[in-house]
Amino acid sequence: MPKIVIIGAGIVGCSLADELTERGYTDVVVIEKGKLWNPGGSTSHAPGVVFQTNGSRTMAQFARQTVEKLHSLQHGGETCFLKVGSLELATTPDRLAELHRRAGFALSAGINAWVISSEEALKMHPLLVRDKLLGALYVPDDGIARAKLGDEAMGERAISRGARFVANCEVVAIDQSDGCVTGVQTTQGSFPADIVVSCAGIWGPKIGSMVGMSKAIQPLAHQLCYTAPIPELSSYKTEAELPVLRHQASDLYFKQRGQSLAIGWYGHRPLPVRSEDILSCELAEVMPSQMPFTREEWKGAMEGAIEVIPALKNSEIVESMNGLFSFTVDNFPLMGEWSGLKGFWVAEAVWITHGCGVARAMAEWIINGHPSLAVHECDVNRFETHQLGSLHIEERGAQNYVEVYDLLHPLQPMESPRPLRTTGFYQRQQELGGFFLEASGYERPHWYEANAGLVARYSSPPRDEWSSKFWSPIIGAEVLTVRDGVGLFDITTLKRIEVTGNGALEFLERLTTGKLKKPGSITYCLMLNERAGIMSDITVMRRGERDFFIGVNSNTDINYLKQLAPDTVHVRDVTPGTVGLGLFGPKSRELAQSLTRDDLSNETLGYFRLKNIYLGHVPVMLCRLSYVGELGYEIYTTADFALKLWDTLWQAGKKYGLIAAGRGAFNSMRLEKGYRSYGTDMNSEHNPHEAGLSFAVRKGGGYRGAVAFNEVNPNALSRRLVCLVLENPQHVVLGKEPVLHQGNAVGYVTSAYFGHNIGKQLAYAWVPAELSTQGTGLAIRYFDRDYPATVGQDPQYDPQMKRLRS
Ligand SMILES: Cc1cc2nc3c(=O)[nH]c(=O)nc-3n(C[C@H](O)[C@H](O)[C@H](O)COP(=O)(O)OP(=O)(O)OC[C@H]3O[C@@H](n4cnc5c(N)ncnc54)[C@H](O)[C@@H]3O)c2cc1C
């Protein structure tokens, strides 16, 4: 059994000790620099308000597990969770609409929630204003986590199973040898360890620097006040009975504390603090994570508060603080084993709301090698290099603080710093009027205004105000032009690696489900975990006997392969040094052929084959595949040739009516063809049969996950990814909406787009297997409307692959 040291006894550390010891991993030492069970971190002073609803299913599941665990936990005869329910308030029509959307997120994650009228909200919370309120989102299972009590309960339970908690003991260094953790140095001596888990909250960056790790975490001060008793609450005798409240339009939340209210406020300017500058337990006035209240920042808070709770007009603030907690560059926590040091794990930037769920996933990950929930959004190794710079961390952390309650469209890109990364085609894309969104820091065109003239020829159904944000009818015109002719897509932002060296083939065949045929072949395959959950889908281009070029999904994939590669195999991220263009459409071969003497006929360069050739003067790897379901090529070259490659194709393309097409067209086309997108359509919670990807798994075994995969009975699945066709082509959905059957939520949408060739609105969705047969009638809830949809053929476009193979 490994020796495990956990740094920090906040909600995450205590819960992790509990989860590990529950699973029989009892050689656990929790080292805490403060005193137990009030050590002075964020958990020690936070009000513990829990709203489970989240646009990320994983985060919502973490919250659900936290509520379930704390609610079932008693300490000293007291419950650790007050299930008082929650109300999110709307005082404007757009906020009311947003509440309906959020109700959809909740239902998609299996959380009971619905929008209620202002009268119903008033009945639940008598302090609320009568006239301004338009409605509220009610989640009966939300409430208040009594986190300190929970820490004590979980901590003592872990101790009773053999764990040790060492208080007033600060970790000052991490010991390592040969790239592996060996222990920690503390103010009370050293503790040996095979695994160290940093659950240090706002001190996370400081612990990270002990091992040379930059953590994308920014501690920020957040204002929290408590009022004096409010006469209107004088009849309340218990800690809390009223639902917790959020008034997002004014950046406020509230909870009852007996006869007074706690008011939290995100409306002030961001107040970043460096992890290294946080005061020690000895020097801090109250506790390290509490900084003195800055009154000038509070301006405006009470105005917004009184707007929804008029009784606050005469109330006095009796307690106030600038409390510290963490924000990250992308709003997700940091979880998992850091690729820079074996045995060094992190679980940080976690709210109390998600604390117990995160800890459970961490324990499963440490013990089984994978958590049961999909955690790719939270993986500590997910970041792009630029996201780990201190300026970026501070700026993005601060901006995410500002936007925490903002109404954000799913396609809303970060606004600053932009442009940050550009591909070698950027100049030409700008000249064509590219409308850019951001992906991995790159500018990525969604459509091109230069194609506006095509709209008259190819029309798209109109969209409502919300779904027409970051959208243009040009997208549809681009799709249809490519289907008839040929289009140029920038695919540079998709990640690429090289895997080379002695044993590369054996290594890849061990970790992927593909049969990697001879040099010159291309294979689409999967990486599975031991449970046969899909960790990624990848495209392997075999350039030589020991030379592979692979399209992967994320840095997590790259780190995974790097960690497991034997010494003779080299895994290298070549994304920034290379560029990729997709040349797709029925005229793509003619166009490419016009630039080379090499034979590109179907007989010589068939589907899923590759060739190193020159297009004009540009050396390229020409790969016969396309993610959009048309005849075509992915073309790769080094970054220095980018402009020349674009210009060469553009010049030659004039004869064939070549257009540049954006990511919008790409998404619409891939969905019509039924091509899944990893992380959106499927993840590690799903096996290949469920996701409709068993064709990508080779027969037999010998790859990771084979035993579990071969045990799956494809005729006895509990759920499936299906293609839903909406009854009305004008009914647009965007993804993450709940799927209903006879009025009950039974699944959720992953990706959705209008299929321009087939003239139908499509939505891929997870549904129970018994509802997955073609023709089954379901509905998708979009805001407050239920759109009828039917399980359709998958894929809808060219199921015989005639166009791709032509
Ligand atoms: C004002 C305020 C209000 C909030 N309200 C809510 C809310 O309503 N709902 C919600 O979900 N979240 C809320 N949060 C956020 C939430 O409090 C935190 O995200 C959460 O408590 C973090 O838990 P943790 O266990 O990761 O960190 P912490 O609770 O900070 O625990 C980390 C522990 O690590 C210890 N430690 C650090 N470095 C060392 C070292 N070198 N050696 C030994 N020990 C070390 C610290 O002493 C600390 O006890 C709020 C935060 C603030 C500031």
Side-chain angles (χ1 to χ4, degrees), residues 7-13 31-34 39 41-43 45-49 169-171 199-203 207 222 224 253 321 323-325 350-353:
I7 306 173
I11 186 81
V12 181
I31 297 181
E32 171 52 61
K33 68 186 169 67
S42 309
T43 311
H45 70 255
V49 173
C169 176
E170 182 166 356
V171 172
C199 303
I202 49 177
W203 291 273
I207 302 283
H222 162 60
L224 177 71
Y253 63 89
M321 68 178 85
L324 292 176
F325 75 122
V350 179
W351 289 27
I352 287 169
T353 302

mmCIF file of all heavy atoms in Angstrom, residues 7-13 31-34 39 41-43 45-49 169-171 199-203 207 222 224 253 321 323-325 350-353, ligand 1:
data_model
loop_
_atom_site.group_PDB
_atom_site.id
_atom_site.type_symbol
_atom_site.label_atom_id
_atom_site.label_comp_id
_atom_site.label_asym_id
_atom_site.label_seq_id
_atom_site.Cartn_x
_atom_site.Cartn_y
_atom_site.Cartn_z
ATOM 1 N N ILE A 7 -1.403 17.382 1.649
ATOM 2 C CA ILE A 7 -1.078 18.701 2.208
ATOM 3 C C ILE A 7 -2.369 19.501 2.296
ATOM 4 O O ILE A 7 -2.982 19.819 1.279
ATOM 5 C CB ILE A 7 -0.066 19.454 1.317
ATOM 6 C CG1 ILE A 7 1.175 18.599 1.074
ATOM 7 C CG2 ILE A 7 0.306 20.794 1.953
ATOM 8 C CD1 ILE A 7 2.158 19.195 0.069
ATOM 9 N N GLY A 8 -2.795 19.825 3.523
ATOM 10 C CA GLY A 8 -3.963 20.676 3.714
ATOM 11 C C GLY A 8 -5.169 19.933 4.243
ATOM 12 O O GLY A 8 -5.545 18.880 3.711
ATOM 13 N N ALA A 9 -5.765 20.486 5.289
ATOM 14 C CA ALA A 9 -6.959 19.871 5.892
ATOM 15 C C ALA A 9 -8.168 20.776 5.720
ATOM 16 O O ALA A 9 -8.923 21.023 6.657
ATOM 17 C CB ALA A 9 -6.709 19.553 7.364
ATOM 18 N N GLY A 10 -8.343 21.280 4.495
ATOM 19 C CA GLY A 10 -9.585 21.968 4.161
ATOM 20 C C GLY A 10 -10.595 20.924 3.690
ATOM 21 O O GLY A 10 -10.401 19.716 3.880
ATOM 22 N N ILE A 11 -11.643 21.379 3.019
ATOM 23 C CA ILE A 11 -12.690 20.441 2.593
ATOM 24 C C ILE A 11 -12.122 19.360 1.670
ATOM 25 O O ILE A 11 -12.501 18.196 1.758
ATOM 26 C CB ILE A 11 -13.868 21.193 1.908
ATOM 27 C CG1 ILE A 11 -15.021 20.262 1.590
ATOM 28 C CG2 ILE A 11 -13.438 21.899 0.619
ATOM 29 C CD1 ILE A 11 -15.900 19.974 2.730
ATOM 30 N N VAL A 12 -11.164 19.737 0.819
ATOM 31 C CA VAL A 12 -10.646 18.766 -0.146
ATOM 32 C C VAL A 12 -9.752 17.740 0.551
ATOM 33 O O VAL A 12 -9.912 16.525 0.373
ATOM 34 C CB VAL A 12 -9.889 19.460 -1.299
ATOM 35 C CG1 VAL A 12 -9.371 18.438 -2.297
ATOM 36 C CG2 VAL A 12 -10.792 20.469 -2.007
ATOM 37 N N GLY A 13 -8.819 18.224 1.378
ATOM 38 C CA GLY A 13 -7.884 17.325 2.065
ATOM 39 C C GLY A 13 -8.617 16.361 2.999
ATOM 40 O O GLY A 13 -8.344 15.151 3.010
ATOM 41 N N ILE A 31 -1.088 16.694 6.469
ATOM 42 C CA ILE A 31 -0.246 17.691 7.131
ATOM 43 C C ILE A 31 -0.890 19.063 6.965
ATOM 44 O O ILE A 31 -1.204 19.488 5.857
ATOM 45 C CB ILE A 31 1.171 17.661 6.542
ATOM 46 C CG1 ILE A 31 1.750 16.280 6.837
ATOM 47 C CG2 ILE A 31 2.032 18.766 7.126
ATOM 48 C CD1 ILE A 31 3.131 16.057 6.355
ATOM 49 N N GLU A 32 -1.091 19.730 8.084
ATOM 50 C CA GLU A 32 -1.833 20.986 8.076
ATOM 51 C C GLU A 32 -1.061 22.023 8.884
ATOM 52 O O GLU A 32 -0.701 21.775 10.023
ATOM 53 C CB GLU A 32 -3.235 20.746 8.669
ATOM 54 C CG GLU A 32 -4.045 21.982 8.928
ATOM 55 C CD GLU A 32 -4.167 22.928 7.740
ATOM 56 O OE1 GLU A 32 -4.701 22.532 6.704
ATOM 57 O OE2 GLU A 32 -3.683 24.093 7.858
ATOM 58 N N LYS A 33 -0.853 23.174 8.269
ATOM 59 C CA LYS A 33 -0.060 24.184 8.989
ATOM 60 C C LYS A 33 -0.878 24.925 10.044
ATOM 61 O O LYS A 33 -0.327 25.528 10.958
ATOM 62 C CB LYS A 33 0.596 25.147 8.012
ATOM 63 C CG LYS A 33 -0.308 26.079 7.247
ATOM 64 C CD LYS A 33 0.535 26.835 6.225
ATOM 65 C CE LYS A 33 -0.308 27.598 5.237
ATOM 66 N NZ LYS A 33 -1.051 28.687 5.810
ATOM 67 N N GLY A 34 -2.197 24.877 9.929
ATOM 68 C CA GLY A 34 -3.049 25.517 10.934
ATOM 69 C C GLY A 34 -3.484 24.525 11.992
ATOM 70 O O GLY A 34 -2.954 23.421 12.087
ATOM 71 N N PRO A 39 -8.367 25.459 10.387
ATOM 72 C CA PRO A 39 -6.955 25.760 10.127
ATOM 73 C C PRO A 39 -6.674 27.115 9.489
ATOM 74 O O PRO A 39 -5.522 27.528 9.425
ATOM 75 C CB PRO A 39 -6.544 24.628 9.175
ATOM 76 C CG PRO A 39 -7.785 24.173 8.506
ATOM 77 C CD PRO A 39 -8.892 24.407 9.476
ATOM 78 N N GLY A 41 -7.736 28.143 6.271
ATOM 79 C CA GLY A 41 -7.857 28.238 4.813
ATOM 80 C C GLY A 41 -9.240 28.731 4.432
ATOM 81 O O GLY A 41 -10.051 29.106 5.296
ATOM 82 N N SER A 42 -9.540 28.676 3.133
ATOM 83 C CA SER A 42 -10.820 29.224 2.661
ATOM 84 C C SER A 42 -12.017 28.496 3.284
ATOM 85 O O SER A 42 -13.046 29.103 3.567
ATOM 86 C CB SER A 42 -10.912 29.102 1.143
ATOM 87 O OG SER A 42 -9.766 29.629 0.535
ATOM 88 N N THR A 43 -11.875 27.192 3.496
ATOM 89 C CA THR A 43 -12.994 26.430 4.061
ATOM 90 C C THR A 43 -13.363 26.951 5.447
ATOM 91 O O THR A 43 -14.519 26.842 5.867
ATOM 92 C CB THR A 43 -12.615 24.924 4.151
ATOM 93 O OG1 THR A 43 -12.072 24.514 2.904
ATOM 94 C CG2 THR A 43 -13.807 24.062 4.491
ATOM 95 N N HIS A 45 -13.693 29.891 6.588
ATOM 96 C CA HIS A 45 -14.561 31.064 6.751
ATOM 97 C C HIS A 45 -15.680 31.158 5.719
ATOM 98 O O HIS A 45 -16.532 32.034 5.800
ATOM 99 C CB HIS A 45 -13.733 32.355 6.698
ATOM 100 C CG HIS A 45 -13.199 32.636 5.334
ATOM 101 N ND1 HIS A 45 -11.889 32.445 4.993
ATOM 102 C CD2 HIS A 45 -13.811 33.070 4.218
ATOM 103 C CE1 HIS A 45 -11.739 32.762 3.721
ATOM 104 N NE2 HIS A 45 -12.878 33.128 3.225
ATOM 105 N N ALA A 46 -15.678 30.257 4.731
ATOM 106 C CA ALA A 46 -16.653 30.393 3.641
ATOM 107 C C ALA A 46 -18.063 30.084 4.141
ATOM 108 O O ALA A 46 -18.236 29.239 5.017
ATOM 109 C CB ALA A 46 -16.289 29.450 2.505
ATOM 110 N N PRO A 47 -19.045 30.749 3.575
ATOM 111 C CA PRO A 47 -20.426 30.515 4.035
ATOM 112 C C PRO A 47 -20.996 29.172 3.584
ATOM 113 O O PRO A 47 -22.029 28.753 4.077
ATOM 114 C CB PRO A 47 -21.202 31.671 3.415
ATOM 115 C CG PRO A 47 -20.396 32.111 2.246
ATOM 116 C CD PRO A 47 -18.963 31.843 2.592
ATOM 117 N N GLY A 48 -20.336 28.508 2.632
ATOM 118 C CA GLY A 48 -20.746 27.149 2.253
ATOM 119 C C GLY A 48 -22.039 27.065 1.458
ATOM 120 O O GLY A 48 -22.729 26.048 1.469
ATOM 121 N N VAL A 49 -22.334 28.127 0.753
ATOM 122 C CA VAL A 49 -23.544 28.115 -0.071
ATOM 123 C C VAL A 49 -23.324 27.168 -1.254
ATOM 124 O O VAL A 49 -22.294 27.240 -1.907
ATOM 125 C CB VAL A 49 -23.808 29.554 -0.571
ATOM 126 C CG1 VAL A 49 -24.939 29.581 -1.563
ATOM 127 C CG2 VAL A 49 -24.090 30.467 0.619
ATOM 128 N N CYS A 169 1.822 22.212 11.391
ATOM 129 C CA CYS A 169 3.004 21.635 10.745
ATOM 130 C C CYS A 169 2.988 22.086 9.285
ATOM 131 O O CYS A 169 2.043 21.785 8.557
ATOM 132 C CB CYS A 169 2.896 20.107 10.849
ATOM 133 S SG CYS A 169 4.202 19.226 10.002
ATOM 134 N N GLU A 170 4.009 22.820 8.898
ATOM 135 C CA GLU A 170 3.992 23.375 7.539
ATOM 136 C C GLU A 170 4.922 22.596 6.613
ATOM 137 O O GLU A 170 6.081 22.342 6.951
ATOM 138 C CB GLU A 170 4.409 24.847 7.574
ATOM 139 C CG GLU A 170 4.364 25.482 6.201
ATOM 140 C CD GLU A 170 4.447 26.995 6.229
ATOM 141 O OE1 GLU A 170 4.471 27.576 7.351
ATOM 142 O OE2 GLU A 170 4.511 27.587 5.145
ATOM 143 N N VAL A 171 4.435 22.260 5.452
ATOM 144 C CA VAL A 171 5.291 21.638 4.430
ATOM 145 C C VAL A 171 6.164 22.733 3.836
ATOM 146 O O VAL A 171 5.659 23.761 3.374
ATOM 147 C CB VAL A 171 4.446 20.959 3.325
ATOM 148 C CG1 VAL A 171 5.326 20.493 2.176
ATOM 149 C CG2 VAL A 171 3.649 19.789 3.896
ATOM 150 N N CYS A 199 -3.446 19.648 -1.564
ATOM 151 C CA CYS A 199 -4.827 20.145 -1.425
ATOM 152 C C CYS A 199 -4.733 21.468 -0.678
ATOM 153 O O CYS A 199 -5.426 21.696 0.316
ATOM 154 C CB CYS A 199 -5.687 19.160 -0.651
ATOM 155 S SG CYS A 199 -5.750 17.525 -1.371
ATOM 156 N N ALA A 200 -3.831 22.320 -1.149
ATOM 157 C CA ALA A 200 -3.449 23.497 -0.377
ATOM 158 C C ALA A 200 -4.235 24.746 -0.755
ATOM 159 O O ALA A 200 -3.913 25.841 -0.290
ATOM 160 C CB ALA A 200 -1.945 23.736 -0.540
ATOM 161 N N GLY A 201 -5.262 24.607 -1.563
ATOM 162 C CA GLY A 201 -6.125 25.749 -1.890
ATOM 163 C C GLY A 201 -5.325 26.934 -2.407
ATOM 164 O O GLY A 201 -4.526 26.809 -3.343
ATOM 165 N N ILE A 202 -5.494 28.088 -1.778
ATOM 166 C CA ILE A 202 -4.830 29.319 -2.249
ATOM 167 C C ILE A 202 -3.307 29.271 -2.122
ATOM 168 O O ILE A 202 -2.616 30.088 -2.707
ATOM 169 C CB ILE A 202 -5.374 30.561 -1.500
ATOM 170 C CG1 ILE A 202 -5.375 30.306 0.013
ATOM 171 C CG2 ILE A 202 -6.766 30.924 -2.007
ATOM 172 C CD1 ILE A 202 -5.821 31.498 0.848
ATOM 173 N N TRP A 203 -2.817 28.306 -1.366
ATOM 174 C CA TRP A 203 -1.359 28.159 -1.279
ATOM 175 C C TRP A 203 -0.836 27.198 -2.347
ATOM 176 O O TRP A 203 0.349 26.886 -2.373
ATOM 177 C CB TRP A 203 -0.958 27.638 0.110
ATOM 178 C CG TRP A 203 -1.183 28.639 1.215
ATOM 179 C CD1 TRP A 203 -0.307 29.600 1.630
ATOM 180 C CD2 TRP A 203 -2.340 28.764 2.030
ATOM 181 N NE1 TRP A 203 -0.875 30.321 2.656
ATOM 182 C CE2 TRP A 203 -2.123 29.827 2.923
ATOM 183 C CE3 TRP A 203 -3.563 28.099 2.084
ATOM 184 C CZ2 TRP A 203 -3.060 30.235 3.865
ATOM 185 C CZ3 TRP A 203 -4.507 28.501 3.020
ATOM 186 C CH2 TRP A 203 -4.255 29.560 3.901
ATOM 187 N N ILE A 207 3.085 25.789 -3.152
ATOM 188 C CA ILE A 207 3.517 24.378 -3.095
ATOM 189 C C ILE A 207 4.049 23.969 -4.477
ATOM 190 O O ILE A 207 5.054 23.271 -4.591
ATOM 191 C CB ILE A 207 2.343 23.457 -2.693
ATOM 192 C CG1 ILE A 207 1.760 23.858 -1.346
ATOM 193 C CG2 ILE A 207 2.766 21.984 -2.720
ATOM 194 C CD1 ILE A 207 2.528 23.460 -0.134
ATOM 195 N N HIS A 222 -12.379 38.113 -2.020
ATOM 196 C CA HIS A 222 -13.809 38.171 -2.345
ATOM 197 C C HIS A 222 -14.533 38.710 -1.111
ATOM 198 O O HIS A 222 -14.264 38.273 0.013
ATOM 199 C CB HIS A 222 -14.258 36.755 -2.718
ATOM 200 C CG HIS A 222 -15.729 36.538 -2.678
ATOM 201 N ND1 HIS A 222 -16.593 37.255 -3.464
ATOM 202 C CD2 HIS A 222 -16.499 35.671 -1.957
ATOM 203 C CE1 HIS A 222 -17.830 36.838 -3.230
ATOM 204 N NE2 HIS A 222 -17.793 35.888 -2.317
ATOM 205 N N LEU A 224 -17.330 39.419 1.643
ATOM 206 C CA LEU A 224 -18.426 38.734 2.322
ATOM 207 C C LEU A 224 -18.770 39.509 3.587
ATOM 208 O O LEU A 224 -17.866 39.866 4.360
ATOM 209 C CB LEU A 224 -17.985 37.314 2.688
ATOM 210 C CG LEU A 224 -18.978 36.476 3.469
ATOM 211 C CD1 LEU A 224 -20.161 36.065 2.593
ATOM 212 C CD2 LEU A 224 -18.303 35.214 4.015
ATOM 213 N N TYR A 253 -24.896 37.011 -3.758
ATOM 214 C CA TYR A 253 -25.583 35.834 -3.227
ATOM 215 C C TYR A 253 -25.835 36.057 -1.743
ATOM 216 O O TYR A 253 -25.191 36.910 -1.105
ATOM 217 C CB TYR A 253 -24.771 34.554 -3.476
ATOM 218 C CG TYR A 253 -23.429 34.499 -2.791
ATOM 219 C CD1 TYR A 253 -23.282 33.985 -1.506
ATOM 220 C CD2 TYR A 253 -22.282 34.972 -3.439
ATOM 221 C CE1 TYR A 253 -22.039 33.937 -0.887
ATOM 222 C CE2 TYR A 253 -21.046 34.933 -2.828
ATOM 223 C CZ TYR A 253 -20.916 34.414 -1.546
ATOM 224 O OH TYR A 253 -19.690 34.386 -0.933
ATOM 225 N N MET A 321 -15.383 40.871 5.554
ATOM 226 C CA MET A 321 -14.034 40.377 5.238
ATOM 227 C C MET A 321 -13.780 40.406 3.741
ATOM 228 O O MET A 321 -14.722 40.424 2.939
ATOM 229 C CB MET A 321 -13.881 38.930 5.709
ATOM 230 C CG MET A 321 -14.740 37.972 4.917
ATOM 231 S SD MET A 321 -14.540 36.264 5.397
ATOM 232 C CE MET A 321 -15.677 36.147 6.749
ATOM 233 N N GLY A 323 -12.273 37.709 1.834
ATOM 234 C CA GLY A 323 -11.810 36.322 1.975
ATOM 235 C C GLY A 323 -11.111 35.870 0.695
ATOM 236 O O GLY A 323 -11.459 36.308 -0.392
ATOM 237 N N LEU A 324 -10.130 34.991 0.859
ATOM 238 C CA LEU A 324 -9.339 34.558 -0.308
ATOM 239 C C LEU A 324 -9.765 33.192 -0.812
ATOM 240 O O LEU A 324 -9.936 32.261 -0.021
ATOM 241 C CB LEU A 324 -7.864 34.473 0.075
ATOM 242 C CG LEU A 324 -7.163 35.796 0.370
ATOM 243 C CD1 LEU A 324 -5.736 35.530 0.839
ATOM 244 C CD2 LEU A 324 -7.155 36.673 -0.872
ATOM 245 N N PHE A 325 -9.946 33.082 -2.110
ATOM 246 C CA PHE A 325 -10.053 31.763 -2.727
ATOM 247 C C PHE A 325 -9.568 31.812 -4.164
ATOM 248 O O PHE A 325 -9.220 32.874 -4.674
ATOM 249 C CB PHE A 325 -11.427 31.121 -2.533
ATOM 250 C CG PHE A 325 -12.573 31.639 -3.348
ATOM 251 C CD1 PHE A 325 -13.285 30.782 -4.172
ATOM 252 C CD2 PHE A 325 -12.982 32.952 -3.252
ATOM 253 C CE1 PHE A 325 -14.380 31.216 -4.902
ATOM 254 C CE2 PHE A 325 -14.085 33.406 -3.978
ATOM 255 C CZ PHE A 325 -14.778 32.540 -4.802
ATOM 256 N N VAL A 350 -10.812 24.348 -5.891
ATOM 257 C CA VAL A 350 -12.068 23.596 -5.750
ATOM 258 C C VAL A 350 -12.979 24.342 -4.787
ATOM 259 O O VAL A 350 -12.549 24.692 -3.684
ATOM 260 C CB VAL A 350 -11.764 22.188 -5.173
ATOM 261 C CG1 VAL A 350 -13.040 21.389 -4.985
ATOM 262 C CG2 VAL A 350 -10.786 21.437 -6.073
ATOM 263 N N TRP A 351 -14.201 24.590 -5.176
ATOM 264 C CA TRP A 351 -15.156 25.209 -4.252
ATOM 265 C C TRP A 351 -15.645 24.157 -3.263
ATOM 266 O O TRP A 351 -15.575 22.947 -3.547
ATOM 267 C CB TRP A 351 -16.360 25.758 -5.021
ATOM 268 C CG TRP A 351 -16.054 26.975 -5.856
ATOM 269 C CD1 TRP A 351 -14.856 27.310 -6.407
ATOM 270 C CD2 TRP A 351 -16.971 28.012 -6.229
ATOM 271 N NE1 TRP A 351 -14.987 28.491 -7.106
ATOM 272 C CE2 TRP A 351 -16.267 28.950 -7.011
ATOM 273 C CE3 TRP A 351 -18.327 28.242 -5.983
ATOM 274 C CZ2 TRP A 351 -16.865 30.088 -7.543
ATOM 275 C CZ3 TRP A 351 -18.917 29.375 -6.515
ATOM 276 C CH2 TRP A 351 -18.204 30.297 -7.266
ATOM 277 N N ILE A 352 -16.176 24.615 -2.154
ATOM 278 C CA ILE A 352 -16.790 23.685 -1.191
ATOM 279 C C ILE A 352 -17.865 22.876 -1.910
ATOM 280 O O ILE A 352 -17.998 21.663 -1.725
ATOM 281 C CB ILE A 352 -17.388 24.474 -0.008
ATOM 282 C CG1 ILE A 352 -16.247 24.989 0.870
ATOM 283 C CG2 ILE A 352 -18.354 23.612 0.799
ATOM 284 C CD1 ILE A 352 -16.664 25.984 1.900
ATOM 285 N N THR A 353 -18.595 23.570 -2.771
ATOM 286 C CA THR A 353 -19.674 22.954 -3.554
ATOM 287 C C THR A 353 -19.237 21.644 -4.219
ATOM 288 O O THR A 353 -20.024 20.715 -4.336
ATOM 289 C CB THR A 353 -20.127 23.952 -4.655
ATOM 290 O OG1 THR A 353 -20.545 25.139 -4.007
ATOM 291 C CG2 THR A 353 -21.216 23.401 -5.526
HETATM 292 C C1 LIG B 1 -15.436 34.751 1.192
HETATM 293 C C2 LIG B 1 -15.559 33.419 0.533
HETATM 294 C C3 LIG B 1 -16.796 32.877 0.341
HETATM 295 C C4 LIG B 1 -16.907 31.646 -0.278
HETATM 296 N N1 LIG B 1 -18.136 31.099 -0.406
HETATM 297 C C5 LIG B 1 -18.269 29.873 -0.927
HETATM 298 C C6 LIG B 1 -19.538 29.283 -0.975
HETATM 299 O O1 LIG B 1 -20.525 29.868 -0.521
HETATM 300 N N2 LIG B 1 -19.653 28.072 -1.553
HETATM 301 C C7 LIG B 1 -18.566 27.415 -2.055
HETATM 302 O O2 LIG B 1 -18.723 26.340 -2.587
HETATM 303 N N3 LIG B 1 -17.336 27.939 -1.983
HETATM 304 C C8 LIG B 1 -17.168 29.159 -1.427
HETATM 305 N N4 LIG B 1 -15.931 29.721 -1.356
HETATM 306 C C9 LIG B 1 -14.773 28.975 -1.916
HETATM 307 C C10 LIG B 1 -14.325 27.880 -0.963
HETATM 308 O O3 LIG B 1 -14.260 28.382 0.336
HETATM 309 C C11 LIG B 1 -12.951 27.329 -1.329
HETATM 310 O O4 LIG B 1 -12.854 27.162 -2.698
HETATM 311 C C12 LIG B 1 -12.719 26.001 -0.620
HETATM 312 O O5 LIG B 1 -12.952 26.144 0.754
HETATM 313 C C13 LIG B 1 -11.303 25.522 -0.841
HETATM 314 O O6 LIG B 1 -11.094 24.353 -0.097
HETATM 315 P P1 LIG B 1 -9.654 23.671 -0.062
HETATM 316 O O7 LIG B 1 -9.730 22.501 0.806
HETATM 317 O O8 LIG B 1 -9.189 23.492 -1.448
HETATM 318 O O9 LIG B 1 -8.700 24.795 0.521
HETATM 319 P P2 LIG B 1 -8.554 25.356 1.995
HETATM 320 O O10 LIG B 1 -9.790 25.297 2.750
HETATM 321 O O11 LIG B 1 -7.923 26.705 1.854
HETATM 322 O O12 LIG B 1 -7.551 24.367 2.650
HETATM 323 C C14 LIG B 1 -6.188 24.334 2.292
HETATM 324 C C15 LIG B 1 -5.414 24.007 3.541
HETATM 325 O O13 LIG B 1 -4.055 23.785 3.191
HETATM 326 C C16 LIG B 1 -3.270 24.220 4.263
HETATM 327 N N5 LIG B 1 -1.909 24.437 3.767
HETATM 328 C C17 LIG B 1 -1.545 25.278 2.769
HETATM 329 N N6 LIG B 1 -0.220 25.256 2.590
HETATM 330 C C18 LIG B 1 0.272 24.373 3.493
HETATM 331 C C19 LIG B 1 1.579 23.926 3.785
HETATM 332 N N7 LIG B 1 2.650 24.371 3.146
HETATM 333 N N8 LIG B 1 1.727 23.013 4.771
HETATM 334 C C20 LIG B 1 0.644 22.533 5.443
HETATM 335 N N9 LIG B 1 -0.614 22.948 5.204
HETATM 336 C C21 LIG B 1 -0.795 23.852 4.231
HETATM 337 C C22 LIG B 1 -3.957 25.482 4.702
HETATM 338 O O14 LIG B 1 -3.615 25.865 6.001
HETATM 339 C C23 LIG B 1 -5.407 25.139 4.531
HETATM 340 O O15 LIG B 1 -6.002 24.720 5.729
HETATM 341 C C24 LIG B 1 -15.766 30.953 -0.738
HETATM 342 C C25 LIG B 1 -14.524 31.520 -0.531
HETATM 343 C C26 LIG B 1 -14.410 32.743 0.085
HETATM 344 C C27 LIG B 1 -13.066 33.321 0.261
#
